[in-house]
Amino acid sequence: MRIERLSESGTGSGDGAGDQPDWYPDEPAAAEGDRILRWQAVPDGEPGEGRGEGRDDGPVGTAWLRLYQDEGRRHLARYQAAVRPDAVGQGIGTALLDQVRAAALTEGRGILLTRAGLGSEADGFLAGAGFTVGAETQRLLLRVADCDQDALRATVRSGSEGYHLVRWQGVAPADLIGSYAAARGTLNDTPTEGTDSGGAHWDEDRVRAVASEAEQRGDALLTVAALGLDGLGEEVVAGFSEVAVPRDTTRARQSDTAVLKEHRGRGLGLWVKAAMLQWLLGAHPEVEGVGTVCLAGNQHMIEINQALGFRPDGGDRYYRLALTEV
């Protein structure tokens, strides 16, 4: 068995996504400017890069390394790896991790992040490889067939005094993009407990870049925002909810939902999520389910999702490894 380095790509480029076996790790989410390094483990004697081209077996393991480029996260890298089920226990995961760790060190990264399904083989592997636990998350799924749409409409109609809703697809409107970028920045106030979601710098350019990458992938990026007045009487984005609808799939992905600190306690989180779901289900009848992820300790957001019909769908454990030269 040998480890091969594949061609480098950027997130959102589509490189490496393709038509992959079910056991491959999820592709990294898009973010402007991030670099993605990739490796695959191939049995000795097999051809090189091509992922199954000209052979029946193909790779027996694969990994990617995401090198964050935005301010606040340049000391971080994130990796995901997977080993073909019939090849587990042959040291492939360790060999891939060795390559990933060396590359992260070469790129000047101090912390390596990853995650694994609770109770999975990867969960046990990471604990034994020196990683420390950073957080647990809960996955939730809303099955459209089970959604109480009458209750959904009632929640949207109930509103929140002093606020009104707007929505858009793709990039935020010119008159709201600055306020929306500031609202996205409030996610940095949320405890991340060892995940890679904190510390990202949000400005108008980043908002445009994320929307552009979604469009390039063929995703429909939907945003609902609640507008209200700030302390100076200026109208601002007080809260928002964002959903991505990937091309050629029946499952949408809840991205982020957040409410500015000074506007919390008014039910805006539930309101914008309900309005988002109402819009999503009407505009995309092909969607059969909506998935989301919450920190296991974020009971408030979990309860909001459950009130809208989301139900538990497994969980993940985040890990981190401090990188040091040996």
Side-chain angles (χ1 to χ4, degrees), residues 70-156:
D70 53 306
E71 292 292 338
R73 295 197 291 182
R74 288 181 182 165
H75 64 297
L76 301 175
R78 180 183 169 198
Y79 103 103
Q80 291 295 139
V83 176
R84 203 172 68 191
D86 65 343
V88 171
Q90 300 177 27
I92 297 169
T94 299
L96 287 167
L97 177 56
D98 288 344
Q99 294 290 321
V100 166
R101 185 175 181 275
L105 280 167
T106 298
E107 295 290 339
R109 304 304 161 123
I111 297 175
L112 183 63
L113 303 170
T114 189
R115 63 178 172 82
L118 292 174
S120 67
E121 291 181 348
D123 199 13
F125 168 78
L126 293 168
F131 284 77
T132 58
V133 176
E136 287 189 11
T137 59
Q138 182 176 119
R139 295 194 301 268
L140 298 107
L141 175 66
L142 173 68
R143 300 185 189 279
V144 173
D146 300 332
C147 180
D148 186 341
Q149 299 202 37
D150 289 336
L152 199 62
R153 284 189 287 270
T155 299
V156 175

Side-chain angles (χ1 to χ4, degrees), residues 233-292:
E234 298 289 334
E235 190 170 67
V236 297
V237 173
F240 69 91
S241 186
E242 182 183 84
V243 164
V245 186
R247 179 179 52 193
D248 301 328
T249 183
T250 60
R251 183 161 172 168
R253 182 180 68 254
Q254 174 78 62
S255 176
D256 291 311
T257 298
V259 176
L260 273 66
K261 188 176 298 184
E262 57 269 30
H263 296 276
R264 292 172 187 167
R266 297 174 173 86
L268 296 184
L270 177 64
W271 192 33
V272 293
K273 282 184 71 78
M276 167 59 73
L277 289 172
Q278 187 179 52
W279 179 24
L280 170 66
L281 301 186
H284 292 273
E286 76 278 10
V287 170
E288 298 176 0
V290 183
T292 190

Side-chain angles (χ1 to χ4, degrees), residues 21-211:
D22 291 342
W23 58 267
Y24 268 50
D26 293 338
E27 282 294 300
E32 173 68 10
D34 289 353
R35 294 167 53 207
I36 306 296
L37 310 184
R38 300 177 188 274
W39 295 262
Q40 64 181 11
V42 180
D44 289 330
E46 293 285 7
E49 185 172 353
R51 293 191 179 184
E53 196 171 326
R55 62 184 185 269
D56 294 330
D57 289 340
V60 292
T62 182
W64 54 255
L65 177 69
R66 176 176 181 170
L67 300 168
Y68 294 102
Q69 302 297 310
D70 53 306
E71 292 292 338
R73 295 197 291 182
R74 288 181 182 165
H75 64 297
L76 301 175
R78 180 183 169 198
Y79 103 103
Q80 291 295 139
V83 176
R84 203 172 68 191
D86 65 343
V88 171
Q90 300 177 27
I92 297 169
T94 299
L96 287 167
L97 177 56
D98 288 344
Q99 294 290 321
V100 166
R101 185 175 181 275
L105 280 167
T106 298
E107 295 290 339
R109 304 304 161 123
I111 297 175
L112 183 63
L113 303 170
T114 189
R115 63 178 172 82
L118 292 174
S120 67
E121 291 181 348
D123 199 13
F125 168 78
L126 293 168
F131 284 77
T132 58
V133 176
E136 287 189 11
T137 59
Q138 182 176 119
R139 295 194 301 268
L140 298 107
L141 175 66
L142 173 68
R143 300 185 189 279
V144 173
D146 300 332
C147 180
D148 186 341
Q149 299 202 37
D150 289 336
L152 199 62
R153 284 189 287 270
T155 299
V156 175
R157 285 197 303 267
S158 67
S160 187
E161 186 175 355
Y163 299 88
H164 65 98
L165 296 173
V166 295
R167 68 189 192 188
W168 62 83
Q169 179 169 334
V171 67
D175 60 333
L176 292 176
I177 191 169
S179 178
Y180 178 59
R184 296 225 47 142
T186 64
L187 290 169
N188 293 333
D189 299 331
T190 304
T192 56
E193 301 176 17
T195 71
D196 58 356
S197 57
H201 174 68
W202 281 93
D203 56 19
E204 294 184 16
D205 288 341
R206 184 177 175 84
V207 170
R208 293 189 186 96
V210 169

